[in-house]
Amino acid sequence: MSTSADMRTKAVLPNEAARPASRKRRMAPGELGRHLSTTTLLWVFAIGFAFPLLWFILSSFKPAGDLFSYPLTLLPKQWTLTGYATAWQSFNFAQYFGNTIVVACVTTVLTVAASCATGYALAKYSNRWLKVFFVCILATTMLPTEVMLAPSFLVVRDLGLYNSLAGIIVPSILTATGVLMFRAFFLTVPDDLVEAARIDGARELSIFFRIMVPLSRPIMVTLAIFSFQWRWNDYIWPLLVLNDPNKFTLQIGIESIVGAQNINWSVLLGASVISMIPLVLIYLVFQKYVMNANINAGLKD
Amino acid sequence: MTLTGNATAVSASEREGTPAPKLRRMRPNRYTAAPLILISANVVLFALFFVWPAVIGFGYSFTDYTGVGDPQFVGAKNYLDLVGDPSFYSALLRTLEFTLMVVPLSYVVSLLIANFMVSKYAKGKPVARIIFFLPWLVSPIITGVVWRWLFGENFGLVNFVIESLGGKPVPWQSNANLSLLVVVFAATWAGMAFSMLLFIAAIKNVPTSYYEAAALDGAGPARLFFSITLPNIAPTSFIVILLTTIGTMKEYALFVSLNNGGPGTDNNLLVQYIYQTGFQRGQIGYASAASFVLMIILMAVALIQLAVNRKAASR
Amino acid sequence: MTLTKSQTGTSRLRRVLAMAATVSAAALVLAGCSSSGNSSASETKKLTLWLSSSAAQQAGYDQLATQYKKKTGVSIKIVNIPYSGYTTKLRDAAQANALPDIASVPSLDPIWTNKLIDLSSIVKTTSNHINENFIAKTSDGRVLAIPSDVTASGLFINKSLFDQAGVSYPTSPSKTWTWSDFIKAADKVRQATGAKYDLTYDASPSRLRAMVYEMGGKYVHADSSGKFSTDAKTQKAVQYFVSLNNDTIMPKSVWTSGADPSALFQSGQVVAYWSGVWQVASFADTITKFDWASVPTPADPVQASDVNSGGLVVGFKNNSSEATAAKKFLSWMYEPAQYKKLTEVNGYLPVESGLNPEYPFKSAAAQDAFKLYNEELPLYAPISGYFNQAQTKWVLGGKSLTTDPSVTELGKAINGQETVTAALKNIVDGYNQQVGK
């Protein structure tokens, strides 16, 4: 370990300048083999993962009678959009989309902010009551939702948040996953960075806002992806909290396709595919950010 | 200096309480206002939306509340009934078996795929990125129908292929262990993207200079992974394992849609047990008691993992 | 580098914080806006109606609402709630004092029965011809719910397979078959055509009750003191049922691990399917690869089925003017002219007799099926409606059968985890625990 540290101080400057240029032009011998093996292995997994997905997506284009016919087919014999058309008309898709977007965006922003602050505090400060709070946050993942449903409803009702989008937003801001993510990240940020800033005379909170927050952007983006999906797929809680159908969210509409006695699969599949599209778009945009980020948390200069 | 700064950051904050490190503790404990402000929002939310409902639920666990009318205090009866119920223990055992299968599989697969997604040697990453992400977006009910289509005992694709190759159809749903195996695959398939994204962010966080230095030393890809990547993403590994464990032990919806806890009740996990004996029979008090016992079990698991992590970090 | 990073970080952060602040302010405003719900006016012009149904079955109510608006100017807002959360939602709405004015509910809940309007005047109106066998009355003669429609369990067959095997089947309920005759015929068809199973059976206690009633049993029945038990004929019938689940006649996976019996039947590989009248409308659309038909239910020797209400229509007393308006609407809805239209559009079996609805189905099989059900209903023994009445009585007594343990216990029996006797005992215990005295 120490050898590489020495080598690093020596090796970084000359080679780093030279590398970027040469990396693209010359492929070292053996690199082609690495390309092949890595790509092959990756695609073995990708095909394994894609196969069930493929059936799901292709089935959404099958007419209802073909979905469970025997022998089973992967490709539709007739391609049809009736599932999608019926799904779109089953409920007020556009309005529910709008409500869900509002809820998801607001919650995500607030969640990321709260989790970032809490994660930093847990990682960089060593008060005893912080450790207690950390265990408390972990505890929030340990009660199954059904148990919490009825009492949480009473709380929301008593706080006056019934039948409002805030009733979905506010209880969802606290997330142990988000706090853990930021805590794990800030643990990898060297304490010396904080110390240096303190020596410079910066106050604690401005260290947080000016230095730590910008560093944690990839984590913020990753948590944003998660938070969006969680709020997007929330079903039972919005159903219980909202009374006015104009405020309903997407999953309530989709779940209404699942009937008491039988499920209209082609409509359900169509509706599910439609509801997944915005999530995929958000993911693509945000992931580009994470993949292109050259973070190196605060190590240089 | 910055290299070692990594290790001490972890150990200093985690190694509290043992006599020797106290002398070596780097910061005096004088910051209270700043951390307090930082966590204030979550403290309020925690109190309102976790403690308050949990206290209500805890109160129910000492009553025979059925959701209607006034709860009657019954003392520890619910807890005693729970401890004496053999189906609680079989649900607990099944849950542990399931978790012990899913967590390692999920960890290895998601770490492996995260490595591919970050590697410059893999081609076709944009499409692969979507493929790996989509299963996580799909709701449990759809995951259920998709995997039933694949592994359905009567008309599933896998049995169809086996039969056309001349074999006998495998009882994917009538055999409890095979049925559990199907859920293990489905759970790994559905949950992989979450861990993968966490790992990608963590791996991207490891300075490329580390790799370059080690590569100059002559380290091959495996050595680079085990000596550089793995130690540096340790905090993320920890939370992936912790969250996957807790989430897997609470698994319910996937089982309902794949085999409804079956065959029979062979694959009832703890949360399904709580539903069946508690909520579905209107025994809210009993369900609350069982839920708090589940929480104690999960807390024990989490504390064990925290302790192991502390030991590993201090090494 | 760190400096420039922090500078852009700050401005970006400021933007994020500003956005968060405005957005949280907006959220709180939304919270404030919520409480102005549907409070009463001196004359109610707006009512809310909750139901849980497919989009197709909502159409009948939508039509009625439009018609009613034209007639009286009162608009009815129809809200379709997903089935899986409906009961919980009603409960929570009751706790938040936000119940709708009218609702079609799957069953009554003791938590809000005290908020229901008395609908006995609608039942007493003789011109409506409401079949009182399906109406449960409180001890003081009030009627708290009227079924929106009647549902009956029934048998479907894969007509193409029967024709291919050359096996005949009864077409009239007066000449129906016994269970052993039916299984024999299905066996013949299966062996002749290479189908996979004789029969798939919905995993629901209501369907099982039908078979038990047809074999002369009473399933889990309460005696005069309110204690539940089973009789010998029930035990024989349930034993027979469990023995049929042997992966040759019936697949075990339906009752043990939740496999979808309807999907299995629609694949064309199963000779028959025991479900009920609600499948007719969906089969009319989704079964395109083979011919299907509804056949008379077996009588062994009792001619019976499990007849239930498809939904119970209730009115809630939110305040006096809304309650009056709700009752007015319901009285209008149950007048034969309107109710007939409702049953036709939604594909309902009517709770009013003498209507002769003409269903809009294009499929001949669907039309024949409905004709058959309408023929069979009057022939069924009174035990067929026992559970429907009992359920309402339990609720009025403050209890409810939150979940029937039948499927779980019999699933265990089929899986070999316990004997049928033990399963029945557990089921009876479950009943006694929840709704026994």
Side-chain angles (χ1 to χ4, degrees):
Chain A
M1 222 37 181
S2 46
T3 355
S4 29
D6 292 327
M7 295 257 348
R8 188 187 70 85
T9 42
K10 267 189 270 166
V12 164
L13 292 169
N15 279 9
E16 231 184 46
R19 218 160 253 241
S22 61
R23 201 183 290 153
K24 295 211 170 85
R25 261 181 259 136
R26 255 180 298 127
M27 243 211 282
E31 283 215 356
L32 179 61
R34 277 197 70 180
H35 273 282
L36 267 169
S37 59
T38 320
T39 311
T40 319
L41 210 49
L42 170 68
W43 279 93
V44 165
F45 274 103
I47 292 177
F49 268 79
F51 192 63
L53 270 180
L54 212 53
W55 183 81
F56 160 52
I57 296 180
L58 288 176
S59 292
S60 66
F61 292 109
K62 290 183 191 160
D66 282 354
L67 266 174
F68 296 104
S69 62
Y70 194 79
L72 300 163
T73 56
L74 189 63
L75 289 170
K77 294 209 182 81
Q78 292 164 263
W79 291 76
T80 169
L81 288 176
T82 39
Y84 289 95
T86 322
W88 189 263
Q89 291 159 355
S90 303
F91 56 92
N92 199 341
F93 235 112
Q95 182 176 49
Y96 291 13
F97 247 126
N99 292 335
T100 317
I101 287 182
V102 168
V103 169
C105 287
V106 175
T107 316
T108 300
V109 168
L110 295 175
T111 302
V112 170
S115 303
C116 187
T118 312
Y120 175 70
L122 290 177
K124 288 298 179 221
Y125 295 99
S126 54
N127 311 53
R128 188 140 281 167
W129 41 266
L130 273 178
K131 300 215 174 303
V132 170
F133 189 56
F134 175 53
V135 175
C136 287
I137 296 235
L138 275 186
T140 62
T141 62
M142 296 177 189
L143 279 180
T145 24
E146 174 68 22
V147 181
M148 303 291 280
L149 219 47
S152 304
F153 177 78
L154 295 177
V155 169
V156 165
R157 178 196 65 177
D158 291 341
L159 288 175
L161 296 176
Y162 181 71
N163 198 26
S164 71
L165 292 182
I168 310 177
I169 293 173
V170 176
S172 315
I173 296 178
L174 168 59
T175 156
T177 308
V179 170
L180 283 175
M181 280 167 64
F182 277 105
R183 176 179 174 271
F185 172 75
F186 284 121
L187 283 176
T188 67
V189 172
D191 285 349
D192 307 307
L193 199 59
V194 185
E195 287 300 329
R198 282 188 186 134
I199 292 171
D200 274 350
R203 294 180 339 172
E204 293 304 301
L205 288 182
S206 67
I207 297 180
F208 173 65
F209 283 117
R210 280 172 201 263
I211 305 179
M212 296 300 160
V213 169
L215 281 183
S216 65
R217 258 180 278 172
I219 307 292
M220 293 173 106
V221 167
T222 309
L223 181 60
I225 296 175
F226 291 158
S227 169
F228 226 86
Q229 194 263 13
W230 293 333
R231 299 290 72 79
W232 203 258
N233 285 346
D234 248 350
Y235 158 62
I236 192 72
W237 186 248
L239 177 64
L240 295 182
V241 169
L242 298 173
N243 208 325
D244 182 358
N246 291 334
K247 299 192 184 135
F248 277 1
T249 58
L250 204 48
Q251 286 300 317
I252 300 178
I254 293 183
E255 193 71 18
S256 66
I257 297 174
V258 179
Q261 309 284 8
N262 44 23
I263 306 179
N264 192 340
W265 287 108
S266 68
V267 177
L268 183 62
L269 291 175
S272 302
V273 172
I274 297 179
S275 77
M276 278 176 16
I277 293 176
L279 289 176
V280 176
L281 291 175
I282 294 205
Y283 167 69
L284 288 176
V285 168
F286 281 23
Q287 255 307 81
K288 246 201 180 82
Y289 180 87
V290 176
M291 296 302 276
N292 293 339
N294 196 4
I295 319 160
N296 300 333
L299 278 174
K300 300 281 157 59
D301 12 273
Chain B
M1 188 177 151
T2 37
L3 211 62
T4 52
N6 209 341
T8 37
V10 175
S11 51
S13 56
E14 307 241 85
R15 245 191 320 172
E16 276 237 310
T18 50
K22 255 196 182 127
L23 297 168
R24 273 192 269 153
R25 198 186 304 173
M26 302 214 293
R27 306 177 286 284
N29 202 5
R30 65 170 182 260
Y31 299 106
T32 46
L36 201 54
I37 295 175
L38 287 172
I39 66 172
S40 52
N42 269 340
V43 171
V44 171
L45 291 171
F46 173 72
L48 282 180
F49 296 107
F50 182 74
V51 176
W52 186 352
V55 165
I56 297 178
F58 193 58
Y60 286 159
S61 72
F62 292 105
T63 69
D64 65 353
Y65 190 47
T66 55
V68 184
D70 292 318
Q72 303 284 9
F73 186 71
V74 292
K77 178 172 178 296
N78 289 326
Y79 289 95
L80 292 173
D81 285 346
L82 180 67
V83 168
D85 186 356
S87 41
F88 170 69
Y89 293 105
S90 39
L92 178 58
L93 187 62
R94 209 64 181 165
T95 309
L96 291 174
E97 286 172 15
F98 180 62
T99 309
L100 283 172
M101 286 200 268
V102 171
V103 174
L105 181 63
S106 173
Y107 178 76
V108 167
V109 171
S110 51
L111 187 52
L112 197 58
I113 294 184
N115 262 304
F116 289 145
M117 296 309 290
V118 176
S119 154
K120 59 184 179 179
Y121 294 113
K123 294 275 169 237
K125 288 205 289 271
V127 180
R129 197 178 299 170
I130 304 182
I131 291 179
F132 290 125
F133 184 63
L134 281 178
W136 188 62
L137 298 179
V138 174
S139 69
I141 200 178
I142 306 257
T143 309
V145 79
V146 166
W147 283 79
R148 265 190 207 263
W149 174 79
L150 278 177
F151 284 96
E153 191 167 283
N154 317 107
F155 301 137
L157 181 70
V158 172
N159 270 359
F160 181 59
V161 168
I162 293 179
E163 277 185 320
S164 14
L165 292 177
K168 275 186 59 192
V170 182
W172 295 110
Q173 283 176 310
S174 299
N175 180 314
N177 292 327
L178 284 177
S179 193
L180 190 66
L181 198 61
V182 174
V183 187
V184 168
F185 289 142
T188 311
W189 178 80
M192 199 274 308
F194 176 75
S195 313
M196 175 187 83
L197 287 179
L198 288 179
F199 280 131
I200 289 179
I203 295 176
K204 275 267 164 187
N205 194 24
V206 180
T208 46
S209 44
Y210 289 12
Y211 292 107
E212 287 159 12
L216 282 175
D217 264 354
R223 177 88 200 289
L224 279 176
F225 176 73
F226 284 103
S227 309
I228 308 234
T229 314
L230 218 44
N232 279 297
I233 60 169
T236 307
S237 281
F238 169 65
I239 64 175
V240 165
I241 294 181
L242 181 64
L243 289 174
T244 314
T245 309
I246 297 180
T248 309
M249 288 185 77
K250 289 192 311 178
E251 189 59 71
Y252 170 64
L254 196 59
F255 273 88
V256 167
S257 64
L258 267 168
N259 57 25
N260 208 15
T265 53
D266 282 343
N267 277 325
N268 271 16
L269 295 202
L270 281 171
V271 179
Q272 184 155 21
Y273 170 80
I274 295 177
Y275 265 75
Q276 277 192 346
T277 57
F279 293 108
Q280 289 182 344
R281 292 212 191 145
Q283 305 291 314
I284 310 286
Y286 187 74
S288 304
S291 305
F292 277 93
V293 172
L294 173 61
M295 177 161 117
I296 292 174
I297 296 174
L298 289 175
M299 185 59 80
V301 169
L303 290 176
I304 293 175
Q305 290 198 359
L306 269 173
V308 168
N309 186 54
R310 202 171 299 175
K311 268 218 189 82
S314 65
R315 224 174 273 137
Chain C
M1 192 170 133
T2 333
L3 279 175
T4 46
K5 232 188 198 167
S6 72
Q7 279 193 349
T8 48
T10 316
S11 59
R12 179 182 180 276
L13 189 69
R14 288 218 186 99
R15 271 186 280 125
V16 169
L17 284 179
M19 190 165 62
T22 33
V23 135
S24 1
L28 290 170
V29 168
L30 282 171
C33 281
S34 70
S35 19
S36 57
N38 32 4
S39 34
S40 61
S42 51
E43 215 207 281
T44 313
K45 286 288 179 192
K46 273 212 255 176
L47 295 174
T48 44
L49 188 154
W50 283 8
L51 45 74
S52 176
S53 72
S54 63
Q57 289 207 320
Q58 189 185 324
Y61 291 97
D62 288 333
Q63 258 196 19
L64 282 183
T66 332
Q67 220 185 320
Y68 196 65
K69 176 133 201 239
K70 252 192 255 165
K71 178 171 182 282
T72 62
V74 175
S75 59
I76 316 252
K77 184 178 209 174
I78 298 186
V79 184
N80 197 336
I81 317 263
Y83 186 74
S84 55
Y86 194 23
T87 320
T88 319
K89 185 161 180 58
L90 280 169
R91 217 169 238 231
D92 288 345
Q95 288 176 319
N97 276 326
L99 285 167
D101 299 300
I102 305 162
S104 169
V105 302
S107 58
L108 299 185
D109 188 335
I111 242 186
W112 39 257
T113 38
N114 56 346
K115 300 204 171 134
L116 293 176
I117 303 175
D118 181 14
L119 301 172
S120 49
S121 61
I122 303 180
V123 177
K124 289 206 195 103
T125 312
T126 42
S127 52
N128 288 343
H129 297 297
I130 292 184
N131 188 341
E132 299 220 10
N133 279 332
F134 300 114
I135 307 286
K137 298 202 172 86
T138 65
S139 46
D140 49 356
R142 285 178 300 146
V143 172
L144 297 179
I146 305 179
S148 58
D149 62 304
V150 166
T151 58
S153 260
L155 188 57
F156 296 94
I157 56 161
N158 186 325
K159 186 164 173 298
S160 308
L161 287 181
F162 264 83
D163 291 342
Q164 191 186 337
V167 176
S168 66
Y169 52 88
T171 47
S172 153
S174 47
K175 297 200 205 75
T176 187
W177 42 12
T178 62
W179 272 98
S180 34
D181 288 342
F182 161 64
I183 296 287
K184 266 197 224 111
D187 274 342
K188 252 171 83 185
V189 175
R190 172 176 52 89
Q191 283 154 359
T193 59
K196 276 204 121 181
Y197 299 106
D198 282 8
L199 174 67
T200 51
Y201 209 94
D202 272 351
S204 152
S206 132
R207 280 16 129 226
L208 182 61
R209 275 198 295 271
M211 182 194 267
V212 172
Y213 293 163
E214 285 156 11
M215 294 187 162
K218 290 200 190 141
Y219 201 56
V220 180
H221 206 106
D223 59 21
S224 45
S225 70
K227 195 154 173 291
F228 288 90
S229 60
T230 56
D231 52 76
K233 289 217 178 99
T234 300
Q235 302 200 354
K236 191 156 160 270
V238 175
Q239 185 73 54
Y240 177 64
F241 174 76
V242 169
S243 69
L244 288 179
N245 275 278
N246 55 12
D247 272 340
T248 311
I249 300 180
M250 280 171 58
K252 287 189 190 175
S253 55
V254 172
W255 275 70
T256 61
S257 30
D260 186 345
S262 170
L264 291 174
F265 179 67
Q266 292 179 52
S267 74
Q269 290 289 301
V270 178
V271 177
Y273 174 37
W274 185 277
S275 180
V277 66
W278 51 88
Q279 301 282 11
V280 173
S282 91
F283 282 176
D285 286 328
T286 59
I287 296 192
T288 49
K289 302 236 149 137
F290 57 87
D291 290 329
W292 59 276
S294 269
V295 294
T297 52
D300 216 334
V302 178
Q303 193 136 31
S305 179
D306 187 65
V307 181
N308 238 313
S309 43
L312 291 170
V313 175
V314 297
F316 289 103
K317 280 197 281 261
N318 286 328
N319 60 58
S320 59
S321 70
E322 283 175 1
T324 329
K327 185 140 181 224
K328 224 171 123 211
F329 171 74
L330 287 177
S331 312
W332 176 81
M333 181 176 107
Y334 276 103
E335 283 168 16
Q338 280 77 252
Y339 185 67
K340 180 163 183 236
K341 254 198 238 128
L342 184 68
T343 55
E344 284 172 348
V345 174
N346 282 0
Y348 280 166
L349 286 177
V351 73
E352 298 179 0
S353 28
L355 279 183
N356 293 323
E358 287 162 17
Y359 299 101
F361 301 117
K362 298 204 191 79
S363 147
Q367 294 279 5
D368 291 338
F370 265 95
K371 213 163 128 256
L372 181 62
Y373 277 101
N374 275 310
E375 262 179 49
E376 283 184 304
L377 271 178
L379 298 176
Y380 285 151
I383 185 86
S384 311
Y386 165 72
F387 191 76
N388 182 37
Q389 289 247 0
Q391 242 187 344
T392 313
K393 285 216 170 68
W394 297 331
V395 170
L396 294 175
K399 297 185 197 226
S400 68
L401 188 65
T402 317
T403 305
D404 192 321
S406 301
V407 177
T408 316
E409 293 299 326
L410 290 176
K412 288 205 277 199
I414 294 174
N415 191 33
Q417 281 175 270
E418 59 184 15
T419 62
V420 173
T421 323
L424 280 174
K425 180 178 174 302
N426 289 340
I427 296 172
V428 168
D429 287 345
Y431 270 68
N432 276 323
Q433 182 188 43
Q434 295 179 64
V435 288
K437 290 224 182 68

